[in-house]
Coordinates of all heavy atoms in Angstrom, one line a residue:
H217 N 8.1 18.1 12.5 CA 8.4 17.4 11.3 C 9.4 18.1 10.4 O 10.2 17.4 9.6 CB 7.1 17.2 10.5 CG 6.6 18.4 9.9 ND1 5.8 19.3 10.6 CD2 6.7 18.9 8.6 CE1 5.5 20.3 9.8 NE2 6.0 20.1 8.6
A218 N 9.5 19.4 10.5 CA 10.4 20.2 9.6 C 11.8 20.3 10.2 O 12.7 20.8 9.5 CB 9.8 21.6 9.3
A219 N 11.9 20.0 11.5 CA 13.2 20.3 12.2 C 13.9 19.0 12.7 O 15.0 19.1 13.1 CB 13.0 21.3 13.3
I220 N 13.1 17.9 12.8 CA 13.7 16.7 13.5 C 14.9 16.1 12.8 O 15.7 15.5 13.4 CB 12.6 15.6 13.7 CG1 13.0 14.7 14.8 CG2 12.3 14.9 12.4 CD1 11.9 13.8 15.3
G221 N 15.0 16.4 11.5 CA 16.2 15.9 10.7 C 17.5 16.6 11.2 O 18.6 16.0 11.0
D222 N 17.4 17.7 11.9 CA 18.6 18.3 12.5 C 19.1 17.6 13.7 O 20.2 18.0 14.2 CB 18.3 19.8 12.8 CG 18.1 20.6 11.5 OD1 18.5 20.2 10.4 OD2 17.4 21.7 11.6
I223 N 18.3 16.8 14.3 CA 18.7 16.1 15.5 C 19.3 14.7 15.2 O 18.7 13.9 14.5 CB 17.5 15.8 16.4 CG1 16.8 17.1 16.8 CG2 17.9 15.0 17.7 CD1 15.5 17.0 17.6
T224 N 20.6 14.6 15.5 CA 21.3 13.3 15.3 C 20.9 12.2 16.2 O 20.7 12.5 17.4 CB 22.9 13.6 15.4 OG1 23.2 14.6 14.5 CG2 23.6 12.3 15.0
T225 N 20.8 11.0 15.7 CA 20.4 9.9 16.5 C 21.6 9.0 16.7 O 22.4 8.7 15.8 CB 19.3 9.0 15.8 OG1 18.1 9.8 15.6 CG2 19.0 7.8 16.6
L226 N 21.9 8.6 18.0 CA 23.0 7.7 18.3 C 22.4 6.4 18.8 O 21.6 6.4 19.8 CB 23.9 8.3 19.4 CG 25.0 7.4 19.9 CD1 26.0 7.1 18.7 CD2 25.8 8.1 21.0
I227 N 22.8 5.3 18.2 CA 22.3 4.0 18.6 C 23.4 3.2 19.2 O 24.5 3.0 18.6 CB 21.7 3.2 17.4 CG1 20.7 4.0 16.7 CG2 21.1 1.9 17.8 CD1 20.3 3.5 15.3
T228 N 23.3 2.8 20.5 CA 24.3 2.0 21.1 C 23.8 0.6 21.5 O 22.6 0.4 21.5 CB 24.8 2.7 22.4 OG1 23.7 2.7 23.4 CG2 25.2 4.1 22.1
G229 N 24.7 -0.3 21.7 CA 24.3 -1.7 22.1 C 25.3 -2.6 21.6 O 26.2 -2.3 20.8
P230 N 25.3 -3.9 22.2 CA 26.3 -4.9 21.8 C 26.2 -5.3 20.3 O 25.1 -5.0 19.7 CB 25.9 -6.1 22.7 CG 25.1 -5.5 23.8 CD 24.4 -4.3 23.2
S231 N 27.2 -5.8 19.8 CA 27.2 -6.3 18.4 C 26.2 -7.4 18.2 O 25.9 -8.2 19.1 CB 28.6 -6.9 18.0 OG 29.6 -5.9 18.0
G232 N 25.5 -7.4 17.1 CA 24.5 -8.4 16.8 C 23.1 -8.1 17.3 O 22.3 -9.0 17.3
T233 N 22.9 -6.9 17.9 CA 21.6 -6.6 18.5 C 20.7 -5.8 17.5 O 19.6 -5.4 17.9 CB 21.8 -5.8 19.8 OG1 22.6 -4.7 19.5 CG2 22.4 -6.7 20.8
G234 N 21.1 -5.6 16.3 CA 20.2 -5.0 15.3 C 20.3 -3.5 15.2 O 19.3 -2.8 14.9
K235 N 21.5 -2.9 15.5 CA 21.6 -1.4 15.4 C 21.3 -0.9 14.0 O 20.6 0.2 13.9 CB 22.9 -1.0 15.9 CG 23.2 -1.3 17.4 CD 24.5 -0.7 17.9 CE 25.7 -1.4 17.4 NZ 25.8 -2.8 17.8
E236 N 21.8 -1.6 13.0 CA 21.5 -1.1 11.6 C 20.0 -1.2 11.3 O 19.5 -0.4 10.6 CB 22.4 -1.8 10.6 CG 22.1 -1.3 9.2 CD 23.1 -1.9 8.1 OE1 24.1 -2.4 8.5 OE2 22.7 -1.8 7.0
V237 N 19.4 -2.3 11.8 CA 18.0 -2.4 11.5 C 17.2 -1.3 12.1 O 16.3 -0.7 11.5 CB 17.5 -3.8 12.1 CG1 16.0 -3.8 12.2 CG2 18.0 -4.9 11.3
V238 N 17.6 -0.9 13.4 CA 16.9 0.3 14.0 C 17.2 1.5 13.2 O 16.3 2.3 12.9 CB 17.4 0.4 15.4 CG1 17.0 1.8 16.0 CG2 16.9 -0.7 16.3
A239 N 18.4 1.7 12.7 CA 18.8 2.9 11.9 C 18.0 2.9 10.6 O 17.5 4.0 10.2 CB 20.3 2.9 11.6
R240 N 17.8 1.8 10.0 CA 17.0 1.7 8.8 C 15.5 2.1 9.0 O 14.9 2.8 8.2 CB 17.1 0.3 8.2 CG 16.6 0.2 6.8 CD 16.8 -1.2 6.2 NE 18.3 -1.5 6.1 CZ 18.9 -1.2 5.0 NH1 18.3 -0.7 3.9 NH2 20.2 -1.5 4.9
A241 N 15.0 1.6 10.2 CA 13.6 1.9 10.5 C 13.4 3.4 10.7 O 12.5 4.1 10.2 CB 13.1 1.2 11.7
V242 N 14.4 4.1 11.4 CA 14.3 5.5 11.6 C 14.4 6.3 10.3 O 13.7 7.2 10.0 CB 15.4 6.0 12.6 CG1 15.5 7.5 12.7 CG2 15.2 5.4 14.0
A243 N 15.4 5.8 9.5 CA 15.7 6.6 8.2 C 14.5 6.5 7.2 O 14.1 7.5 6.6 CB 17.0 6.0 7.6
L244 N 14.0 5.3 7.1 CA 13.0 5.1 6.1 C 11.6 5.5 6.5 O 10.6 5.4 5.8 CB 12.9 3.6 5.6 CG 14.2 3.1 5.0 CD1 14.1 1.6 4.5 CD2 14.6 4.0 3.8
S245 N 11.5 6.0 7.8 CA 10.2 6.5 8.3 C 10.1 8.0 8.4 O 9.3 8.5 9.0 CB 10.0 5.9 9.7 OG 9.9 4.5 9.7
R246 N 11.1 8.7 7.7 CA 11.1 10.1 7.8 C 9.9 10.7 7.0 O 9.3 10.1 6.1 CB 12.4 10.7 7.3 CG 13.6 10.3 8.2 CD 14.8 11.1 7.8 NE 14.5 12.5 8.1 CZ 15.2 13.5 7.6 NH1 16.2 13.3 6.8 NH2 14.9 14.8 7.8
Y247 N 9.6 12.0 7.3 CA 8.5 12.7 6.7 C 8.8 12.9 5.2 O 9.9 13.4 4.9 CB 8.3 14.0 7.4 CG 7.3 14.9 6.9 CD1 6.0 14.9 7.3 CD2 7.6 15.9 5.9 CE1 5.0 15.8 6.9 CE2 6.6 16.7 5.4 CZ 5.3 16.7 5.9 OH 4.4 17.5 5.4
L248 N 7.8 12.6 4.3 CA 8.0 12.8 2.9 C 6.8 13.7 2.5 O 5.6 13.3 2.6 CB 7.9 11.5 2.1 CG 9.0 10.5 2.4 CD1 8.8 9.2 1.6 CD2 10.4 11.1 2.1
P249 N 7.0 15.0 2.0 CA 5.9 15.9 1.7 C 5.0 15.3 0.6 O 5.5 14.5 -0.3 CB 6.7 17.1 1.1 CG 8.0 17.0 1.8 CD 8.4 15.6 1.9
F250 N 3.8 15.6 0.7 CA 2.8 15.2 -0.3 C 2.5 16.3 -1.3 O 2.2 17.4 -0.9 CB 1.5 14.7 0.4 CG 0.4 14.3 -0.5 CD1 0.5 13.1 -1.1 CD2 -0.7 15.0 -0.7 CE1 -0.5 12.6 -2.0 CE2 -1.7 14.6 -1.5 CZ -1.6 13.4 -2.2
N251 N 2.6 15.9 -2.6 CA 2.3 16.9 -3.6 C 0.8 16.8 -4.0 O 0.4 15.8 -4.6 CB 3.2 16.6 -4.9 CG 3.1 17.6 -6.0 OD1 2.0 18.1 -6.2 ND2 4.2 18.0 -6.6
A252 N 0.0 17.8 -3.7 CA -1.4 17.7 -3.9 C -1.8 17.7 -5.4 O -2.8 17.1 -5.8 CB -2.1 18.9 -3.2
A253 N -0.9 18.4 -6.2 CA -1.3 18.5 -7.6 C -1.1 17.1 -8.3 O -2.0 16.8 -9.1 CB -0.3 19.5 -8.3
S254 N -0.1 16.4 -7.9 CA 0.1 15.1 -8.6 C -0.3 13.9 -7.7 O -0.3 12.7 -8.2 CB 1.6 14.9 -8.9 OG 2.4 14.9 -7.7
A255 N -0.7 14.2 -6.5 CA -1.2 13.2 -5.5 C -0.1 12.1 -5.2 O -0.4 10.9 -5.1 CB -2.4 12.5 -6.0
T256 N 1.2 12.6 -5.2 CA 2.3 11.7 -4.9 C 3.2 12.2 -3.8 O 3.1 13.4 -3.4 CB 3.2 11.5 -6.2 OG1 3.7 12.8 -6.6 CG2 2.5 10.9 -7.4
F257 N 4.0 11.3 -3.2 CA 4.9 11.6 -2.1 C 6.3 11.8 -2.7 O 6.7 11.1 -3.6 CB 4.9 10.5 -1.1 CG 3.6 10.3 -0.4 CD1 2.7 9.3 -1.0 CD2 3.1 11.0 0.7 CE1 1.5 9.1 -0.4 CE2 1.9 10.8 1.2 CZ 1.1 9.8 0.7
E258 N 7.0 12.8 -2.2 CA 8.4 13.0 -2.6 C 9.3 11.9 -2.1 O 9.1 11.3 -1.0 CB 8.9 14.3 -2.1 CG 8.1 15.5 -2.7 CD 8.7 16.9 -2.3 OE1 9.8 16.9 -1.7 OE2 8.1 17.9 -2.5
G259 N 10.4 11.6 -2.9 CA 11.4 10.7 -2.4 C 11.2 9.3 -2.9 O 10.1 8.8 -3.1
V260 N 12.3 8.6 -3.0 CA 12.3 7.2 -3.4 C 13.0 6.5 -2.2 O 14.1 6.8 -1.9 CB 13.0 6.9 -4.7 CG1 13.0 5.4 -5.0 CG2 12.3 7.6 -5.8

Side-chain angles (χ1 to χ4, degrees):
H217 69 278
I220 201 166
D222 293 336
I223 301 175
T224 302
T225 297
L226 177 63
I227 306 168
T228 65
S231 292
T233 53
K235 292 187 291 297
E236 181 172 342
V237 166
V238 168
R240 191 176 293 272
V242 171
L244 297 182
S245 298
R246 294 194 62 199
Y247 178 91
L248 299 176
F250 179 70
N251 186 321
S254 62
T256 59
F257 300 91
E258 294 183 12
V260 178

